[in-house]
Amino acid sequence: MYKLPPRNLIYQDVLNQILTLIKNGEWIAGDRIPTETELSKIFQVSRNSIREALKILEHLKIISSKAGSGTHVLEESFQNIQMLELVDTLRQKSTYESLMDTRLIIEPELAYRAALKANEKDIKKLENIIIVSINQINDEEYFTPTVGFSFHMELAKIADNEIIWKFLESITLELLSLRKVIMNKHNKEDLLKELDEHKEIFGFIKSNNPEQAKIAMYNHLKKAQNHLTDYEN
Amino acid sequence: MYKLPPRNLIYQDVLNQILTLIKNGEWIAGDRIPTETELSKIFQVSRNSIREALKILEHLKIISSKAGSGTHVLEESFQNIQMLELVDTLRQKSTYESLMDTRLIIEPELAYRAALKANEKDIKKLENIIIVSINQINDEEYFTPTVGFSFHMELAKIADNEIIWKFLESITLELLSLRKVIMNKHNKEDLLKELDEHKEIFGFIKSNNPEQAKIAMYNHLKKAQNHLTDYEN
DNA sequence: AAGTATTTGTCCGTATGTATC
DNA sequence: GGATACATACGGACAAATACT
């Protein structure tokens, strides 16, 4: 026997329909949309279901409801629908390959910038992160697949762009949630190799050599990619 | 008289409290959380208000509710909370300066890749976009601040990374919604200069010269930044 | 395997606070 | 300031899906 497809929930249906109305420009930024009671008549569902859909749209900052004055489409609705699509893409297209490729686009440039901008305090902090990593790897009591994470993130912080920093954090944490990354770091030897590459990048940052830092970062990420490919073959 | 700060909405309060419980690890992925009726007793609010909060968390893919089996914290809750924070950062930190800086990190590398990967069809498409732009600029009937948009996006498409492509789209559309970008393109002369730079980048892509394409893109974006600074002084 | 209990899904009615004219 | 229209919030009821015994 085949399973029936799960029945659509009403609030999700309403949500999608309203979203489509706004996307299609039938309800435009600034417009006041029908009242909850009117919507419940239009869609032939209860006011509760309407409200659940509206509360979601409100949280997405696409609409705004106020007692007395009704519900309006926000001026920023277009941008926030874009955000929604960005999140959808991020969820659907996140594979090991695509995420590593994304890092490959961003991180070499961040290394370049870090080599230009790093001050003494930044250098100290990076140095400390490397020392902690060494200890973590030698202290084999626990397994540490996230051992290199803080080095990459600190480097992004030095590059001094909060948007890219947060974006890279999402990308990298998503990557860590995939099993494949852990395959890449299942023995001490591999972890130490990775650490050596971090040391090399750090050296170029410390000596203010942006071009070399960038190349070293590119090669570092490429190796991780190739290393995994080896395993799979 | 001073206005009282708007009273917190109950569903938002509940939402934040539940989110905090999950962030703090008190409710962990896989856990079944209290029933709606229990929650309404715990928080001392109606079941409707609980549901409005839960529906938002469900849409964020942090929890999942099913009739009969209750509400559970999803395995991907951690990543999706990250997504939430990414969107918050994107909303809060998006200024002309930070967004242009973000493009400056990403787009030169995309130009580099485009010069490596572009096939004949891609070249044709880019060429066509430039021709359309020329016509749009000469056809002064309407003002076209988005005239350069499709060139940049097509280039990102050729670079062949959907995540970065969508990310750049969000960034760029957000940028276009800021008034400042339009200041940058208020006369025909400026638009034609911009177009010339596009032609230059295109030339390097067509002749498979990644290094030059990258440099040209970098300079192109830098000029836009500087141009605006001139206006402000 | 069948029936009962539990839990979310959906609906309705009502009272209250708030904005607008 | 009074009347009206609206969202906010509550409680109760039953249906539908799942779990449990």
Side-chain angles (χ1 to χ4, degrees), chain A residues 78-164:
Chain A
F78 178 74
Q79 287 99 292
N80 285 321
I81 289 174
Q82 275 293 319
M83 293 280 178
L84 195 57
E85 291 180 6
L86 171 62
V87 170
D88 281 348
T89 303
L90 236 32
R91 279 202 269 252
Q92 288 169 23
K93 306 290 180 182
S94 285
T95 62
Y96 177 83
E97 289 71 23
S98 66
L99 292 171
M100 281 303 292
D101 188 58
T102 303
R103 294 181 65 188
L104 218 34
I105 292 174
I106 294 174
E107 292 203 57
E109 182 64 25
L110 296 182
Y112 185 96
R113 289 194 173 203
L116 281 180
K117 293 192 179 182
N119 57 33
E120 279 184 37
K121 209 173 167 183
D122 297 329
I123 300 290
K124 273 262 161 66
K125 201 157 182 185
L126 280 176
E127 206 157 28
N128 189 51
I129 286 173
I130 289 176
I131 292 169
V132 170
S133 299
I134 296 175
N135 294 337
Q136 281 190 342
I137 294 171
N138 286 328
D139 175 11
E140 291 193 78
E141 288 171 33
Y142 56 96
F143 185 54
T144 50
T146 64
V147 68
F149 177 68
S150 44
F151 179 79
H152 287 267
M153 288 316 298
E154 181 58 27
L155 206 142
K157 193 155 238 163
I158 298 170
D160 194 31
N161 177 312
E162 281 191 87
I163 292 175
I164 283 281

Side-chain angles (χ1 to χ4, degrees), chain B residues 48-222:
Chain B
N48 278 339
S49 297
I50 296 289
R51 279 184 63 82
E52 287 171 7
L54 292 183
K55 291 306 117 187
I56 290 171
L57 287 165
E58 198 169 13
H59 184 265
L60 294 170
K61 298 189 196 290
I62 291 171
I63 63 171
S64 169
S65 299
K66 271 179 195 161
S69 44
T71 302
H72 294 260
V73 180
L74 288 178
E75 297 298 335
E76 329 91 72
S77 62
F78 178 75
Q79 288 99 291
N80 284 321
I81 290 174
Q82 275 295 318
M83 293 281 178
L84 193 57
E85 290 180 8
L86 171 61
V87 169
D88 280 349
T89 304
L90 236 31
R91 279 203 269 253
Q92 288 167 23
K93 307 290 180 182
S94 285
T95 61
Y96 176 83
E97 288 71 22
S98 66
L99 292 171
M100 280 304 291
D101 189 58
T102 303
R103 294 181 65 189
L104 217 35
I105 292 174
I106 294 175
E107 291 203 57
E109 182 65 25
L110 296 183
Y112 185 96
R113 289 193 173 205
L116 282 180
K117 294 192 180 184
N119 58 33
E120 277 184 37
K121 209 173 168 184
D122 297 329
I123 300 290
K124 273 264 160 67
K125 200 157 184 186
L126 280 176
E127 206 157 29
N128 189 52
I129 285 173
I130 288 176
I131 292 170
V132 171
S133 299
I134 295 175
N135 293 337
Q136 280 190 339
I137 294 170
N138 286 327
D139 174 11
E140 291 194 77
E141 288 170 33
Y142 55 95
F143 185 54
T144 50
T146 64
V147 69
F149 177 69
S150 43
F151 179 80
H152 286 267
M153 288 315 298
E154 181 58 28
L155 206 143
K157 193 154 239 165
I158 298 170
D160 193 32
N161 177 310
E162 281 190 89
I163 292 175
I164 282 280
W165 181 81
K166 194 73 196 175
F167 181 64
L168 184 64
E169 188 186 39
S170 300
I171 295 292
T172 311
L173 287 174
E174 177 76 32
L175 202 47
L176 284 172
S177 78
L178 301 174
R179 294 285 155 76
K180 286 192 176 184
V181 177
I182 301 184
M183 282 178 55
N184 245 353
K185 306 183 181 181
H186 62 169
N187 64 53
K188 190 171 173 175
E189 194 190 346
D190 291 342
L191 287 169
L192 285 174
K193 271 187 196 164
E194 185 187 299
L195 186 62
D196 279 339
E197 292 165 20
H198 284 188
K199 283 182 191 166
E200 190 195 358
I201 296 168
F202 170 71
F204 291 130
I205 291 173
K206 191 176 180 180
S207 59
N208 286 82
N209 195 335
E211 283 295 345
Q212 290 299 318
K214 173 184 214 159
I215 293 170
M217 175 61 86
Y218 185 86
N219 291 334
H220 173 50
L221 293 170
K222 263 293 178 198

Side-chain angles (χ1 to χ4, degrees), chain A residues 69-81:
Chain A
S69 44
T71 302
H72 295 258
V73 179
L74 288 179
E75 296 299 333
E76 329 93 70
S77 62
F78 178 74
Q79 287 99 292
N80 285 321
I81 289 174

